[in-house]
Every structure is written in C-alpha cells, then in structure tokens.
Amino acid sequence: MTATAELEHFIVDLYEDLADRAAFDARLADDVTVWETPWPTLMHGITELDELRGPAADPEERRRNLPSVVPTGIVTSDFGDTGVIRYVLEVRPAAGEPLVEVVRVTDVVRRDADGWRIVHHHAQDMPVE
C-alpha cells in the first residue's frame, strides 16, 4: 500500500472508530495540538482535548447516539514519516439524513513504530449549504 493510500485509510478508520474513544485516541500523539472552532486557544495534549470533549461514554452507548461523521474529499501528501491530510467532515444525525454540520480539517501526522499518529489537528466549522 502506498503512503497516500495508507493516509486515506488512516482517516477513514479514525472516524469509523469515533464511538470508541480509546481506539480513536490511539491514533493521536500524546502531545497532539488541536485547533477547534468552539475552543478559543490551542489545545496541547489529549488531557486538554478532553476538556472540550467531556467524559468518555461507554462505546456501546456512544454508538447508539453517534451521528454519521464521514470524511470526504480526502487529499493527502506524504513526506517520508510525515504526512498532511486535508478533508471535509460531513455530519448527519444518521446516514442518509440531511447534512447538519460541515467541518474543514487539516491533520499533520507522523509515522512511528506503531503506525501513523496525528500530531496536529486543525478543524473549522463551515456553513451548511
């Protein structure tokens, strides 16, 4: 598999694991930095990210209440053990329902012995058209 295909697969898998915080967080570097529209400052590390996300719910309970969150228009670039992934998240109450949120995202990733990890995540809410 090419690095470009690996990076695209990485992002698709990330959002497929959205209900399972441990699986999701395993794809984040411990010192990840995060920009999110509703948070006024740069977050440093998973602990600060958890201030925005709140407590983790049981994965089975979370799956029942989780909206459909699908990365689209994925564009990847790889530079050896570093990659940049750009995409748009489309959020719906459930698959096939009307779009309720659109988020423009850029992730910077690094490859280590365990695979790719997000070292910086930048997400910006966009108007729903």
Side-chain angles (χ1 to χ4, degrees):
M1 182 180 302
T2 67
T4 298
E6 283 180 25
L7 293 171
E8 186 168 336
H9 191 265
F10 172 83
I11 286 300
V12 170
D13 286 351
L14 176 75
Y15 288 97
E16 286 179 357
D17 281 339
L18 192 56
D20 184 344
R21 177 147 325 157
F24 188 92
D25 287 358
R27 293 181 176 91
L28 304 177
D30 291 337
D31 60 349
V32 64
T33 55
V34 178
W35 287 113
E36 286 281 350
T37 299
W39 200 258
T41 59
L42 181 65
M43 290 171 265
H44 296 268
I46 294 172
T47 301
E48 286 188 18
L49 177 59
D50 282 345
E51 291 178 31
L52 173 66
R53 298 189 298 188
D58 172 71
E60 287 306 313
E61 177 185 330
R62 185 155 163 81
R63 264 192 244 336
R64 285 191 298 275
N65 300 316
L66 193 66
S68 169
V69 180
V70 177
T72 63
I74 301 170
V75 176
T76 65
S77 301
D78 79 277
F79 308 96
D81 288 337
T82 301
V84 180
I85 310 167
R86 290 80 82 191
Y87 53 98
V88 172
L89 287 176
E90 294 183 349
V91 182
R92 294 174 165 78
E97 292 192 19
L99 199 59
V100 295
E101 187 176 359
V102 176
V103 183
R104 180 170 49 193
V105 180
T106 301
D107 287 324
V108 179
V109 296
R110 293 276 302 156
R111 184 175 22 217
D112 63 22
D114 296 322
W116 294 100
R117 301 285 174 264
I118 296 173
V119 296
H120 179 73
H121 173 82
H122 189 142
Q124 177 183 15
D125 292 346
M126 300 300 293
V128 176
E129 297 178 8

